[in-house]
Amino acid sequence: MASWRTAVVTALLGGAVAGASYRSVRTVRQVRSLVPLQEAPPTSVIPAAVTVVVPARNEAAVLDDCLHGIRSQTYGAGDPSALRVVVVDDGSTDGTGDIAGAHAAADDRVRAVRVDGPPPGWTGKVHAMHVGVEAAGPPGAGEWLLFVDADTVLAPDLLSRLLATADEVDADLVSTPGGPPADRSAAWPLLMPPGLQMIGENAAPDGNGSKAFAIGHCILLRRSHYEKIGGWTSLAGLRNEDIAVATAVRDHGGTTRMVDGLDHVTTTGMDPFSQGWASFRKSFVAGTGQSVPVLLGGGLGQVALSLAAPVAVAAGVRQRRPLLAAAGVLGWTAQGVAHAHTARYMRAEPQLAPLAPFTGALFGGVLLDGAVRVLRGTVSWKGRRSES
């Protein structure tokens, strides 16, 4: 009986290690498919019009830096019609509206719009972005839309380089996450690598998976394709709007790509650690449709797969079974390599790669926390309760 139990445990451990290794290899391939940011081209004679939309709810602490970064873009320098900015104050109760208004008063390219929350059937951010596009007016020939989170700061040449990258890969939507601020929290090295791995298992950076990958920090989209998918109206009730819009563009014949622009985009949306945890929790609760079974299964599965390799090493050494220990070492190494690739992409301390099984298990707690909050009915974001 004891030998039978040992065989079963060994088989389970071996299967889990194999699964973790497969995930790791797949993650490395996903990271390698990311597109490098192209150099800004010489100034074009007639630059395409770009409308920047910034949804902002209670973002007084960060909005000023965000808007200064947008207004400092070198794209279309000397041509005021090349760039216009719409800031949508989404029912803020702090000084967000005042900051937006001050920038509008100082720069004719900027317009501030106020809404008092979304109507029924809409989520707040999606509705705010919809209002921003509508406020910009009818589409222009060759126009692009740039959606930027209010906690994100763009380097002066970012827009020019994003447009050059989209042109280089013939993409209709390109997206880049923001990199960490100088005083980044522990969310970056501990949550980012396993978080990107889990998201990447369901959404592909090159758009060829079941879903297309995009990150809401910074999304550049041809307005013609925005109109083609029905705009934000077609995605009104969704909270994972970044992946949803990229997938919709892909499903309507467009090309989407994830770009490595982290040296030119900075976000404070993952800081402090508690905010980074809450941000990932929100994404996975939304992505699972607030399904408690999926969140519980995903969380427990993440913990089990993450810890299988070190458990196999420990069991193999204790039971003097070198093959089991070797399998655990190989699985642990594969996890570390995947962690290093994602951490390097996110500028998030790849030297912590040996801790990959444990950071992966920690991330399982994000999903389990999401399940608990759904059960308690306490799911919320930006002060608004989320309905299932």
Side-chain angles (χ1 to χ4, degrees), residues 180-262:
D183 57 346
R184 62 188 170 197
S185 72
W188 290 88
L190 298 182
L191 299 181
M192 271 295 183
L196 283 186
Q197 181 182 50
M198 287 202 72
I199 295 172
E201 288 173 346
N202 297 292
D206 61 4
N208 291 326
S210 59
K211 297 179 182 178
F213 201 172
I215 291 182
H217 300 162
C218 181
I219 297 176
L220 180 68
L221 167 63
R222 291 186 196 273
R223 184 153 184 183
S224 58
H225 274 73
Y226 172 83
E227 303 291 342
K228 189 175 183 179
I229 68 172
W232 289 117
T233 302
S234 65
L235 309 171
L238 300 182
R239 292 191 181 274
N240 56 338
E241 70 287 334
D242 43 13
I243 289 177
V245 71
T247 303
V249 169
R250 189 275 312 273
D251 290 347
H252 284 76
T255 298
T256 71
R257 298 299 297 268
M258 280 291 296
V259 174
D260 182 357
L262 281 88

Coordinates of all heavy atoms in Angstrom, one line a residue, residues 180-262:
P180 N 8.4 50.6 -14.2 CA 8.3 51.0 -12.8 C 8.9 52.3 -12.6 O 9.8 52.8 -13.2 CB 9.1 49.9 -12.1 CG 10.1 49.5 -13.1 CD 9.4 49.5 -14.4
P181 N 8.4 53.0 -11.6 CA 9.0 54.3 -11.2 C 10.3 54.0 -10.4 O 10.5 52.9 -10.0 CB 7.9 54.9 -10.3 CG 7.2 53.7 -9.7 CD 7.2 52.7 -10.8
A182 N 11.0 55.1 -10.1 CA 12.3 54.9 -9.4 C 12.1 54.3 -8.0 O 12.9 53.5 -7.6 CB 13.0 56.2 -9.3
D183 N 11.0 54.6 -7.3 CA 10.7 54.1 -6.0 C 9.7 52.9 -6.1 O 8.8 52.9 -5.2 CB 10.3 55.2 -5.1 CG 9.0 55.9 -5.6 OD1 8.7 55.7 -6.8 OD2 8.4 56.6 -4.8
R184 N 9.9 52.1 -7.0 CA 8.9 51.0 -7.2 C 8.7 50.1 -6.0 O 9.6 50.0 -5.2 CB 9.3 50.1 -8.4 CG 10.7 49.4 -8.1 CD 11.1 48.7 -9.4 NE 12.5 48.2 -9.3 CZ 13.2 47.9 -10.3 NH1 12.7 48.0 -11.5 NH2 14.4 47.5 -10.2
S185 N 7.5 49.5 -5.9 CA 7.2 48.7 -4.7 C 7.6 47.2 -5.0 O 8.0 46.9 -6.1 CB 5.7 48.8 -4.4 OG 5.0 48.1 -5.4
A186 N 7.4 46.4 -4.1 CA 7.7 45.0 -4.2 C 6.7 44.3 -5.2 O 6.9 43.1 -5.6 CB 7.6 44.3 -2.9
A187 N 5.6 45.0 -5.6 CA 4.7 44.4 -6.5 C 5.4 44.1 -7.9 O 5.1 43.1 -8.5 CB 3.5 45.3 -6.8
W188 N 6.4 44.8 -8.2 CA 7.1 44.6 -9.5 C 7.9 43.3 -9.6 O 7.6 42.5 -10.4 CB 8.0 45.8 -9.8 CG 7.2 47.1 -10.1 CD1 6.7 48.0 -9.3 CD2 6.7 47.4 -11.4 NE1 6.0 48.9 -9.9 CE2 5.9 48.6 -11.3 CE3 6.8 46.9 -12.7 CZ2 5.3 49.3 -12.3 CZ3 6.2 47.6 -13.8 CH2 5.5 48.7 -13.6
P189 N 8.8 43.0 -8.7 CA 9.5 41.8 -8.7 C 8.7 40.6 -8.3 O 8.9 39.4 -8.7 CB 10.7 42.0 -7.8 CG 10.3 43.0 -6.8 CD 9.3 43.9 -7.6
L190 N 7.7 40.8 -7.4 CA 7.0 39.6 -6.9 C 5.7 39.2 -7.6 O 5.4 38.1 -7.7 CB 6.6 39.9 -5.4 CG 7.8 40.1 -4.4 CD1 7.3 40.3 -3.0 CD2 8.8 38.9 -4.5
L191 N 5.0 40.2 -8.1 CA 3.7 40.0 -8.8 C 3.8 40.0 -10.3 O 3.0 39.3 -11.0 CB 2.6 40.9 -8.3 CG 2.3 40.9 -6.8 CD1 1.2 41.9 -6.5 CD2 1.9 39.5 -6.4
M192 N 4.6 40.9 -10.9 CA 4.6 41.1 -12.3 C 5.0 39.8 -13.1 O 4.3 39.5 -14.0 CB 5.6 42.2 -12.7 CG 4.9 43.6 -12.7 SD 3.7 43.7 -14.0 CE 3.2 45.5 -13.8
P193 N 6.1 39.1 -12.8 CA 6.4 38.0 -13.6 C 5.3 36.9 -13.6 O 4.9 36.5 -14.7 CB 7.7 37.5 -13.0 CG 8.3 38.7 -12.4 CD 7.2 39.5 -11.9
P194 N 4.8 36.4 -12.5 CA 3.8 35.4 -12.5 C 2.5 36.0 -13.1 O 1.7 35.2 -13.8 CB 3.6 35.0 -11.1 CG 4.1 36.1 -10.3 CD 5.2 36.7 -11.1
G195 N 2.2 37.3 -12.8 CA 1.0 37.8 -13.4 C 1.0 37.9 -14.9 O 0.0 37.5 -15.5
L196 N 2.1 38.3 -15.5 CA 2.2 38.3 -17.0 C 2.1 36.9 -17.5 O 1.5 36.7 -18.6 CB 3.4 39.0 -17.4 CG 3.4 40.6 -17.3 CD1 4.7 41.1 -17.9 CD2 2.2 41.2 -18.0
Q197 N 2.7 36.0 -16.8 CA 2.6 34.6 -17.3 C 1.2 34.1 -17.4 O 0.8 33.5 -18.4 CB 3.5 33.7 -16.4 CG 3.4 32.2 -16.9 CD 4.2 31.3 -15.9 OE1 4.0 31.3 -14.7 NE2 5.1 30.5 -16.5
M198 N 0.4 34.3 -16.3 CA -0.9 33.9 -16.3 C -1.8 34.6 -17.3 O -2.6 33.9 -18.0 CB -1.6 34.1 -14.9 CG -1.0 33.1 -13.9 SD -2.2 32.9 -12.5 CE -3.5 31.9 -13.2
I199 N -1.6 35.9 -17.5 CA -2.4 36.6 -18.5 C -2.0 36.1 -19.9 O -2.9 35.9 -20.8 CB -2.1 38.1 -18.4 CG1 -2.7 38.6 -17.1 CG2 -2.8 38.8 -19.6 CD1 -2.3 40.1 -16.8
G200 N -0.7 35.9 -20.1 CA -0.2 35.4 -21.4 C -0.7 34.0 -21.8 O -0.6 33.6 -23.0
E201 N -1.1 33.2 -20.8 CA -1.6 31.9 -21.1 C -3.0 32.0 -21.8 O -3.5 31.0 -22.4 CB -1.7 31.1 -19.9 CG -0.3 30.7 -19.4 CD -0.4 30.0 -18.0 OE1 -1.4 30.1 -17.3 OE2 0.7 29.4 -17.6
N202 N -3.7 33.1 -21.7 CA -5.0 33.3 -22.3 C -5.0 34.4 -23.4 O -6.0 34.5 -24.1 CB -6.0 33.6 -21.2 CG -6.2 32.5 -20.2 OD1 -6.7 31.4 -20.6 ND2 -5.7 32.7 -19.0
A203 N -4.0 35.2 -23.5 CA -3.9 36.3 -24.4 C -2.5 36.4 -25.0 O -1.6 36.5 -24.3 CB -4.3 37.6 -23.7
A204 N -2.4 36.4 -26.3 CA -1.1 36.3 -27.0 C -0.6 37.7 -27.4 O -1.4 38.5 -27.9 CB -1.2 35.4 -28.2
P205 N 0.7 38.0 -27.1 CA 1.3 39.3 -27.5 C 1.2 39.5 -29.0 O 1.2 40.7 -29.4 CB 2.7 39.2 -27.0 CG 2.7 38.2 -25.9 CD 1.6 37.2 -26.3
D206 N 1.2 38.5 -29.8 CA 1.2 38.7 -31.3 C -0.3 38.5 -31.8 O -0.5 38.5 -33.0 CB 2.1 37.7 -32.0 CG 1.7 36.2 -31.7 OD1 0.7 36.0 -31.0 OD2 2.5 35.3 -32.2
G207 N -1.2 38.4 -30.9 CA -2.6 38.4 -31.3 C -3.1 37.0 -31.8 O -4.3 36.9 -32.2
N208 N -2.3 36.0 -31.8 CA -2.6 34.7 -32.4 C -3.2 33.7 -31.4 O -3.4 32.5 -31.8 CB -1.4 34.1 -33.1 CG -1.0 34.9 -34.3 OD1 -1.8 35.5 -35.0 ND2 0.3 35.0 -34.6
G209 N -3.4 34.0 -30.2 CA -4.0 33.1 -29.2 C -5.5 33.2 -29.2 O -6.2 33.8 -30.1
S210 N -6.1 32.6 -28.2 CA -7.6 32.7 -28.1 C -8.0 34.1 -27.9 O -9.1 34.5 -28.3 CB -8.1 31.8 -26.9 OG -7.5 32.2 -25.7
K211 N -7.2 34.9 -27.3 CA -7.4 36.3 -27.1 C -6.1 37.1 -27.5 O -5.0 36.5 -27.5 CB -7.8 36.7 -25.7 CG -9.1 36.1 -25.2 CD -9.4 36.4 -23.8 CE -10.7 35.7 -23.4 NZ -11.0 36.0 -21.9
A212 N -6.3 38.4 -27.8 CA -5.1 39.2 -28.1 C -4.8 40.0 -26.9 O -5.6 40.5 -26.2 CB -5.4 40.1 -29.3
F213 N -3.5 40.2 -26.7 CA -3.0 40.8 -25.5 C -2.8 42.3 -25.7 O -2.3 42.8 -26.7 CB -1.6 40.2 -25.1 CG -1.2 40.4 -23.7 CD1 0.0 39.8 -23.2 CD2 -1.9 41.2 -22.8 CE1 0.4 39.9 -21.9 CE2 -1.4 41.3 -21.5 CZ -0.3 40.7 -21.1
A214 N -3.3 43.1 -24.7 CA -3.0 44.6 -24.7 C -3.0 45.0 -23.2 O -3.7 44.3 -22.4 CB -4.0 45.4 -25.5
I215 N -2.4 46.0 -22.9 CA -2.3 46.5 -21.5 C -2.8 48.0 -21.5 O -2.3 48.8 -22.3 CB -0.9 46.4 -20.9 CG1 -0.6 44.9 -20.7 CG2 -0.9 47.1 -19.5 CD1 0.7 44.6 -20.0
G216 N -3.8 48.3 -20.6 CA -4.5 49.6 -20.7 C -3.6 50.8 -20.4 O -4.1 51.9 -20.6
H217 N -2.4 50.6 -19.9 CA -1.5 51.8 -19.6 C -1.4 52.6 -20.9 O -1.5 53.9 -20.8 CB -0.1 51.3 -19.2 CG 0.0 50.5 -18.0 ND1 1.0 49.7 -17.7 CD2 -0.9 50.3 -17.0 CE1 0.8 49.1 -16.6 NE2 -0.4 49.4 -16.1
C218 N -1.2 52.0 -22.0 CA -1.0 52.8 -23.3 C -1.4 51.9 -24.5 O -0.7 50.9 -24.8 CB 0.5 53.1 -23.3 SG 1.0 54.1 -24.7
I219 N -2.4 52.3 -25.1 CA -2.9 51.6 -26.3 C -3.1 52.6 -27.5 O -3.8 53.6 -27.4 CB -4.3 50.9 -26.0 CG1 -4.1 49.8 -24.9 CG2 -4.9 50.3 -27.3 CD1 -5.5 49.2 -24.5
L220 N -2.4 52.3 -28.6 CA -2.5 53.1 -29.8 C -3.3 52.3 -30.8 O -3.0 51.1 -31.1 CB -1.2 53.4 -30.3 CG -1.1 54.2 -31.6 CD1 -1.6 55.7 -31.4 CD2 0.3 54.3 -32.2
L221 N -4.4 52.9 -31.3 CA -5.4 52.2 -32.2 C -5.8 53.0 -33.4 O -6.1 54.2 -33.2 CB -6.6 51.8 -31.3 CG -7.9 51.3 -32.0 CD1 -7.6 50.0 -32.7 CD2 -9.0 51.1 -30.9
R222 N -5.8 52.4 -34.5 CA -6.3 53.2 -35.7 C -7.8 53.5 -35.5 O -8.6 52.6 -35.1 CB -6.2 52.3 -37.0 CG -4.8 52.1 -37.5 CD -4.9 51.4 -38.8 NE -3.6 50.8 -39.2 CZ -2.6 51.5 -39.8 NH1 -2.8 52.7 -40.2 NH2 -1.5 50.9 -40.1
R223 N -8.2 54.7 -35.7 CA -9.6 55.0 -35.4 C -10.5 54.3 -36.4 O -11.7 54.0 -36.0 CB -9.8 56.6 -35.5 CG -11.3 56.9 -35.2 CD -11.5 58.3 -34.6 NE -12.9 58.5 -34.2 CZ -13.3 59.6 -33.8 NH1 -12.5 60.7 -33.7 NH2 -14.6 59.7 -33.4
S224 N -10.1 54.0 -37.6 CA -10.9 53.3 -38.5 C -11.2 51.9 -38.0 O -12.4 51.4 -38.1 CB -10.2 53.1 -39.9 OG -8.9 52.5 -39.7
H225 N -10.3 51.3 -37.3 CA -10.6 50.0 -36.7 C -11.4 50.1 -35.4 O -12.2 49.2 -35.0 CB -9.3 49.2 -36.4 CG -8.8 48.4 -37.5 ND1 -8.3 49.0 -38.7 CD2 -8.9 47.1 -37.8 CE1 -8.0 48.1 -39.5 NE2 -8.3 46.9 -39.1
Y226 N -11.2 51.2 -34.7 CA -12.1 51.5 -33.5 C -13.6 51.6 -34.0 O -14.5 51.0 -33.4 CB -11.7 52.8 -32.9 CG -12.6 53.3 -31.8 CD1 -12.5 52.9 -30.5 CD2 -13.5 54.3 -32.1 CE1 -13.3 53.3 -29.5 CE2 -14.4 54.8 -31.1 CZ -14.3 54.3 -29.8 OH -15.1 54.8 -28.8
E227 N -13.8 52.3 -35.1 CA -15.2 52.4 -35.6 C -15.7 51.1 -36.1 O -16.8 50.7 -36.0 CB -15.2 53.5 -36.7 CG -14.7 54.9 -36.3 CD -15.7 55.6 -35.3 OE1 -16.8 55.1 -35.2 OE2 -15.2 56.5 -34.7
K228 N -14.8 50.3 -36.7 CA -15.1 49.0 -37.3 C -15.7 48.0 -36.2 O -16.6 47.3 -36.5 CB -13.9 48.4 -38.0 CG -14.2 47.2 -38.8 CD -13.0 46.7 -39.6 CE -13.3 45.5 -40.5 NZ -12.1 45.1 -41.3
I229 N -15.1 48.1 -35.0 CA -15.5 47.1 -34.0 C -16.7 47.7 -33.2 O -17.3 47.0 -32.3 CB -14.4 46.8 -33.0 CG1 -14.1 48.1 -32.1 CG2 -13.2 46.3 -33.7 CD1 -13.1 47.8 -31.0
G230 N -17.2 48.9 -33.6 CA -18.3 49.4 -32.9 C -17.9 50.3 -31.7 O -18.8 50.7 -30.9
G231 N -16.6 50.7 -31.6 CA -16.2 51.5 -30.6 C -16.3 50.9 -29.2 O -16.6 49.7 -29.0
W232 N -16.2 51.8 -28.2 CA -16.3 51.3 -26.8 C -17.8 50.8 -26.5 O -18.0 50.1 -25.6 CB -15.9 52.3 -25.8 CG -14.4 52.5 -25.8 CD1 -13.8 53.7 -26.1 CD2 -13.4 51.6 -25.5 NE1 -12.4 53.5 -26.0 CE2 -12.2 52.2 -25.6 CE3 -13.4 50.3 -25.0 CZ2 -10.9 51.6 -25.3 CZ3 -12.2 49.6 -24.8 CH2 -11.0 50.3 -24.9
T233 N -18.7 51.3 -27.3 CA -20.1 50.9 -27.1 C -20.3 49.4 -27.1 O -21.0 48.8 -26.4 CB -21.0 51.5 -28.1 OG1 -20.9 52.9 -28.1 CG2 -22.5 51.1 -27.9
S234 N -19.5 48.7 -28.0 CA -19.6 47.3 -28.1 C -19.0 46.5 -27.0 O -19.2 45.3 -26.8 CB -18.9 46.8 -29.4 OG -17.5 47.1 -29.4
L235 N -18.2 47.2 -26.1 CA -17.5 46.6 -25.0 C -18.0 47.3 -23.7 O -17.3 47.3 -22.7 CB -16.0 46.8 -25.1 CG -15.4 46.3 -26.5 CD1 -14.0 46.7 -26.6 CD2 -15.6 44.8 -26.6
A236 N -19.2 47.9 -23.7 CA -19.6 48.8 -22.6 C -19.5 48.2 -21.2 O -19.1 48.9 -20.3 CB -21.1 49.2 -22.9
G237 N -19.9 47.0 -21.0 CA -20.0 46.4 -19.7 C -18.7 45.7 -19.2 O -18.7 45.1 -18.1
L238 N -17.6 45.7 -19.9 CA -16.5 44.9 -19.6 C -15.5 45.7 -18.7 O -15.3 46.9 -18.9 CB -15.8 44.5 -20.9 CG -16.6 43.6 -21.8 CD1 -15.8 43.2 -23.0 CD2 -17.2 42.4 -21.1
R239 N -14.8 45.0 -17.9 CA -13.7 45.6 -17.0 C -12.3 45.2 -17.5 O -11.4 45.8 -17.1 CB -13.9 45.2 -15.6 CG -15.2 45.8 -15.0 CD -15.3 45.7 -13.5 NE -16.5 46.3 -13.0 CZ -16.6 47.6 -12.7 NH1 -15.6 48.4 -12.8 NH2 -17.8 48.1 -12.3
N240 N -12.2 44.1 -18.3 CA -10.9 43.8 -18.9 C -10.9 44.3 -20.3 O -10.6 43.6 -21.3 CB -10.7 42.3 -18.9 CG -11.8 41.5 -19.6 OD1 -12.9 42.0 -19.7 ND2 -11.5 40.3 -20.0
E241 N -11.1 45.7 -20.3 CA -11.3 46.3 -21.6 C -10.1 46.3 -22.5 O -10.2 46.4 -23.8 CB -11.8 47.8 -21.4 CG -10.7 48.7 -20.8 CD -10.4 48.5 -19.4 OE1 -11.2 48.0 -18.6 OE2 -9.3 48.9 -19.0
D242 N -8.9 46.2 -22.0 CA -7.7 46.3 -22.8 C -7.6 45.0 -23.7 O -7.4 45.1 -24.9 CB -6.4 46.5 -21.9 CG -6.4 45.6 -20.7 OD1 -7.2 44.7 -20.5 OD2 -5.6 45.9 -19.8
I243 N -7.7 43.9 -23.0 CA -7.6 42.6 -23.8 C -8.9 42.5 -24.7 O -8.8 42.0 -25.8 CB -7.5 41.4 -22.9 CG1 -6.1 41.4 -22.2 CG2 -7.8 40.1 -23.6 CD1 -5.9 40.3 -21.2
A244 N -10.0 43.0 -24.2 CA -11.2 42.9 -25.0 C -11.1 43.7 -26.3 O -11.6 43.3 -27.4 CB -12.4 43.4 -24.2
V245 N -10.6 44.9 -26.2 CA -10.5 45.8 -27.4 C -9.5 45.2 -28.4 O -9.7 45.2 -29.6 CB -10.2 47.2 -27.1 CG1 -8.8 47.4 -26.6 CG2 -10.5 48.1 -28.3
A246 N -8.4 44.7 -27.9 CA -7.4 44.1 -28.8 C -8.0 42.8 -29.5 O -7.8 42.6 -30.7 CB -6.1 43.7 -28.0
T247 N -8.7 42.0 -28.7 CA -9.3 40.8 -29.3 C -10.4 41.2 -30.3 O -10.5 40.6 -31.4 CB -9.9 40.0 -28.2 OG1 -8.9 39.6 -27.3 CG2 -10.5 38.7 -28.8
A248 N -11.1 42.2 -30.1 CA -12.2 42.7 -31.0 C -11.5 43.2 -32.3 O -12.0 42.9 -33.4 CB -13.0 43.8 -30.4
V249 N -10.4 43.9 -32.2 CA -9.7 44.4 -33.4 C -9.2 43.2 -34.2 O -9.4 43.2 -35.4 CB -8.6 45.3 -33.0 CG1 -7.7 45.6 -34.2 CG2 -9.1 46.7 -32.4
R250 N -8.6 42.3 -33.5 CA -8.1 41.1 -34.2 C -9.2 40.3 -34.9 O -9.1 39.8 -36.0 CB -7.4 40.2 -33.1 CG -6.6 39.0 -33.6 CD -7.4 37.7 -33.9 NE -8.3 37.4 -32.7 CZ -8.0 36.6 -31.7 NH1 -6.7 36.2 -31.6 NH2 -8.8 36.3 -30.8
D251 N -10.3 40.1 -34.2 CA -11.5 39.4 -34.7 C -12.1 40.1 -35.9 O -12.9 39.4 -36.6 CB -12.5 39.1 -33.6 CG -12.0 38.1 -32.6 OD1 -10.9 37.4 -32.8 OD2 -12.6 38.0 -31.5
H252 N -11.9 41.4 -36.0 CA -12.5 42.1 -37.2 C -11.4 42.3 -38.2 O -11.5 43.3 -39.1 CB -13.0 43.4 -36.7 CG -14.4 43.3 -36.0 ND1 -14.5 42.9 -34.7 CD2 -15.6 43.6 -36.4 CE1 -15.8 42.9 -34.4 NE2 -16.5 43.3 -35.4
G253 N -10.4 41.5 -38.3 CA -9.4 41.5 -39.4 C -8.2 42.4 -39.1 O -7.4 42.5 -40.0
G254 N -8.1 43.0 -37.9 CA -6.9 43.8 -37.7 C -5.8 43.0 -37.1 O -5.9 41.9 -36.7
T255 N -4.6 43.7 -37.1 CA -3.4 43.1 -36.5 C -3.0 43.8 -35.2 O -3.0 45.1 -35.2 CB -2.2 43.3 -37.5 OG1 -2.5 42.6 -38.7 CG2 -0.9 42.7 -36.9
T256 N -2.8 43.1 -34.2 CA -2.4 43.6 -32.9 C -1.1 43.1 -32.4 O -0.7 41.9 -32.7 CB -3.5 43.3 -31.8 OG1 -3.4 41.9 -31.5 CG2 -4.9 43.6 -32.3
R257 N -0.3 44.0 -31.8 CA 1.0 43.5 -31.3 C 1.3 44.2 -29.9 O 1.0 45.4 -29.8 CB 2.1 43.9 -32.3 CG 2.0 43.2 -33.6 CD 2.0 41.7 -33.5 NE 3.3 41.2 -33.0 CZ 4.3 40.8 -33.7 NH1 4.3 40.9 -35.1 NH2 5.4 40.3 -33.2
M258 N 2.0 43.5 -29.1 CA 2.5 44.1 -27.8 C 3.9 44.5 -28.1 O 4.7 43.9 -28.8 CB 2.5 43.0 -26.7 CG 1.2 42.8 -26.1 SD 0.6 44.3 -25.1 CE 1.9 44.3 -23.8
V259 N 4.3 45.7 -27.5 CA 5.5 46.3 -27.8 C 6.3 46.5 -26.5 O 5.7 46.7 -25.4 CB 5.2 47.7 -28.5 CG1 6.5 48.5 -28.6 CG2 4.5 47.6 -29.8
D260 N 7.6 46.5 -26.6 CA 8.5 46.8 -25.5 C 8.8 48.3 -25.5 O 9.8 48.7 -26.0 CB 9.7 45.9 -25.5 CG 10.6 46.1 -24.3 OD1 10.3 47.0 -23.5 OD2 11.7 45.5 -24.2
G261 N 8.0 49.0 -24.8 CA 8.2 50.5 -24.7 C 8.4 50.9 -23.3 O 8.3 52.1 -22.9
L262 N 8.9 50.0 -22.4 CA 8.9 50.3 -21.0 C 10.0 51.3 -20.6 O 9.9 51.9 -19.5 CB 9.1 49.0 -20.2 CG 7.8 48.2 -20.0 CD1 7.6 47.2 -21.2 CD2 7.9 47.4 -18.7

